[in-house]
Amino acid sequence: HIHSPQRRAVCRRTVDFDMLGSCSSAALRAVNVGIRAGRAAQLRLVHTMRPEPHSAASLMDIGTRRIFSEEHDIFRQSVRRFFQEEVAPYHTQWEKEGQVSREVWKKAGEQGLLGLCIPAEQGGIGGDLLSAAIVWEEQMYSNCTGPGFSLHSDIVMPYISHYGTPSQVQRFIPPLAAGTSIAAIAMTEPGAGSDLQGVRTYAKRDGSDWILNGNKVFISNGWMSNVVVVVAVTDREATSAAHGLSLFLVEDGTPGFIKGRKLEKIGLKAQDTAELFFEDVRLPADALLGPENKGFYCLMAELLQERLLIGALAMASCEFMFEETRRYVMQRKAFGKTIAQLQVSPPAARTPSR
């Protein structure tokens, strides 16, 4: 598993194999153990030599932070190139249109950027969270907020992966990972935002089916979505609203499922955000995602990663803005100097008189 020339150089050993040929098996094992221990120690040394961002030339440099490996660096290079070549050149036009193209979703799927943390046996990539975090960061470093990849891959897909039946996983995960299908989650309502216990969208039983009524607002990926995880009340007699919520998989084109207008926003203009309406939408029994009346607990378990994701996106966005500011003040000239050279130093502290 040692790929780079640097690591191979670190781990190289000179061994007299003719001499080892006369050694006992126990001695050979001892030599092998010693070599492996030495290699592990020097690999750890190489790993700890990675600089933290504050010691690098740029906060966005590749090869920083000890939590990442060289394999992560190679992946980051490909992700950065993807956003530079497939997203950034078209983002201004997408902002005018209020959505990105479906082609960029398919290209992201072909590149292996969707469903990174979903197990391979379910149809995902089977990667780690750090790889997903690289996609989050590189999108912010490209200053392109349009593609809703992180919501799709690391907020919505885990619901299906963790709570879906085998048939639901088989049906939805592969096309979502391929980018041929786009996912959204519908929690927010006109009268219920972060307070999930205020949800009014209602699903009632009708034989083995469910009849869904209600509306959602501010739904990211909503306009382009092919499948939506919808939060709805299923037990109005529950002791609390938290005990009466369930999750449903609602597909685009289902009769009664209506997408309203794309909402105009002051930011994230290329990210489609829509109103969704459900008017007597008949859903089969297998549209229920997870246990009936346990949706609130599913949401509480998954929202932890959503908060982590939002924090990482915000930090990466701040890093990009810092580097843009630094580049500007180092290049922009006024009065014969760069702006950075015109920075006013604070006056020297004065010792107060007695």
Side-chain angles (χ1 to χ4, degrees):
H1 301 292
I2 300 169
H3 303 295
S4 70
Q6 293 86 353
R7 286 196 175 188
R8 284 198 296 269
V10 166
C11 298
R12 189 176 293 117
R13 292 289 184 275
T14 301
V15 180
D16 188 342
F17 288 98
D18 291 334
M19 181 188 71
L20 289 179
S22 62
C23 293
S24 66
S25 59
L28 286 173
R29 284 196 297 271
V31 170
N32 285 330
V33 168
I35 291 175
R36 286 197 297 270
R39 285 176 175 173
Q42 294 203 5
L43 284 175
R44 286 195 296 271
L45 178 61
V46 170
H47 187 60
T48 56
M49 289 170 63
R50 296 173 65 89
E52 291 301 319
H54 66 269
S55 301
S58 167
L59 295 175
M60 302 185 295
D61 275 359
I62 296 175
T64 63
R65 284 177 286 181
R66 289 188 293 272
I67 61 173
F68 293 113
S69 67
E70 289 185 359
E71 288 74 18
H72 287 123
D73 294 342
I74 295 170
F75 178 64
R76 186 183 290 275
Q77 289 171 353
S78 68
V79 176
R80 182 167 295 187
R81 185 164 53 251
F82 174 85
F83 280 104
Q84 289 173 345
E85 297 177 357
E86 304 294 346
V87 178
Y90 313 102
H91 202 264
T92 299
Q93 181 61 34
W94 292 340
E95 288 187 327
K96 296 175 183 177
E97 297 171 356
Q99 66 181 75
V100 304
S101 68
R102 286 196 173 270
E103 286 72 22
V104 78
W105 280 91
K106 294 176 183 177
K107 289 179 180 179
E110 293 169 359
Q111 191 80 9
L113 305 186
L114 304 177
L116 269 164
C117 293
I118 304 301
E121 55 270 23
Q122 291 186 340
I125 303 301
D128 61 356
L129 186 64
L130 290 175
S131 298
I134 287 172
V135 179
W136 308 341
E137 290 181 340
E138 289 303 319
Q139 181 170 349
M140 294 299 98
Y141 292 166
S142 72
N143 196 30
C144 297
T145 57
F149 298 157
S150 58
L151 169 71
H152 168 96
S153 296
D154 305 305
I155 295 179
V156 185
M157 288 181 71
Y159 282 96
I160 303 173
S161 173
H162 296 160
Y163 309 112
T165 63
S167 62
Q168 288 173 330
V169 168
Q170 184 178 10
R171 180 178 180 183
F172 292 105
I173 292 294
L176 291 174
T180 55
S181 180
I182 300 172
I185 185 166
M187 292 185 278
T188 304
E189 299 183 359
S194 58
D195 179 15
L196 291 173
Q197 298 190 65
V199 168
R200 294 291 177 266
T201 298
Y202 178 55
K204 66 177 181 179
R205 282 192 176 277
D206 184 35
S208 61
D209 292 344
W210 295 89
I211 305 298
L212 179 68
N213 281 281
N215 64 300
K216 303 289 183 176
V217 70
F218 307 135
I219 307 305
S220 300
N221 289 354
W223 182 260
M224 298 183 69
S225 63
N226 300 99
V227 60
V228 183
V229 175
V230 179
V231 181
V233 175
T234 46
D235 183 3
R236 286 176 168 170
E237 305 302 322
T239 54
S240 71
H243 294 89
L245 292 179
S246 299
L247 307 179
F248 293 91
L249 290 165
V250 182
E251 296 182 74
D252 185 29
T254 303
F257 175 26
I258 303 168
K259 296 178 180 179
R261 62 191 175 93
K262 284 185 288 187
L263 301 177
E264 295 183 5
K265 310 179 296 295
I266 61 173
L268 307 179
K269 293 185 177 181
Q271 186 181 106
D272 70 288
T273 308
E275 298 172 307
L276 304 180
F277 300 91
F278 307 94
E279 299 178 358
D280 291 328
V281 177
R282 180 172 292 275
L283 300 172
D286 61 4
L288 180 68
L289 178 63
E292 181 181 344
N293 296 326
K294 299 296 182 182
F296 183 81
Y297 303 100
C298 299
L299 291 163
M300 291 299 100
E302 300 303 321
L303 284 171
L304 296 175
Q305 180 161 300
E306 179 177 348
R307 295 181 181 114
L308 173 66
L309 182 157
I310 293 171
L313 289 172
M315 283 297 298
S317 183
C318 289
E319 289 168 349
F320 165 78
M321 288 185 282
F322 177 86
E323 292 300 338
E324 282 292 289
T325 303
R326 175 158 60 178
R327 181 186 61 81
Y328 181 83
V329 300
M330 296 294 287
Q331 294 180 358
R332 174 69 174 175
K333 289 187 176 181
F335 306 104
K337 296 182 179 180
T338 65
I339 294 179
Q341 293 172 323
L342 295 174
Q343 179 172 320
V344 178
S345 300
R350 297 181 179 178
T351 304
S353 57
R354 293 182 180 274

